[in-house]
Amino acid sequence: MGHVLELGSIGEVHEFVQNHRLSILYVTQEDCSVCHAIYPKLLKLTDEFPEAKLGRVDAGKVKEVAGGFLIFSAPAILVFLDGKEYIREGRFVQFDGLASRLELLSRTE
């Protein structure tokens, strides 16, 4: 499985998004059973897109992430291309659709 960057501050989150062409931000919470259940699926998906970098942030520890990215519930998956948000999935993630959209983004020059 691919490498996941654990992000511990809002500054690290912004730096992560800006420093990677294709980045996936996974916003989770420690006591969220859905977050824990979909994480292995997200890891498997990112293995199919090695150019996408995965960062994980706990919204319970980095409270500014919810307000900064307008996230109202966990889990949330935000996909950025060149620092701009293109995909947002929350709570009930449709991985087939997410994979299709990631495929399109990964081919964008």
Side-chain angles (χ1 to χ4, degrees), residues 57-81:
V57 61
D58 185 330
K61 294 177 182 170
V62 183
K63 300 197 183 308
E64 305 91 345
V65 78
F69 291 93
L70 299 175
I71 297 168
F72 301 108
S73 66
I77 299 170
L78 284 66
V79 180
F80 298 86
L81 180 65

Side-chain angles (χ1 to χ4, degrees), residues 35-93:
C35 298
H36 296 295
I38 71 169
Y39 186 58
K41 294 177 185 177
L42 182 59
L43 289 174
K44 186 174 187 242
L45 177 69
T46 56
D47 281 346
E48 297 173 30
F49 300 94
E51 66 278 13
K53 304 305 176 202
L54 178 60
R56 181 168 71 169
V57 61
D58 185 330
K61 294 177 182 170
V62 183
K63 300 197 183 308
E64 305 91 345
V65 78
F69 291 93
L70 299 175
I71 297 168
F72 301 108
S73 66
I77 299 170
L78 284 66
V79 180
F80 298 86
L81 180 65
D82 296 325
K84 182 178 177 191
E85 183 181 329
Y86 278 86
I87 300 171
R88 177 179 288 244
E89 290 280 336
R91 199 100 185 123
F92 303 105
V93 179

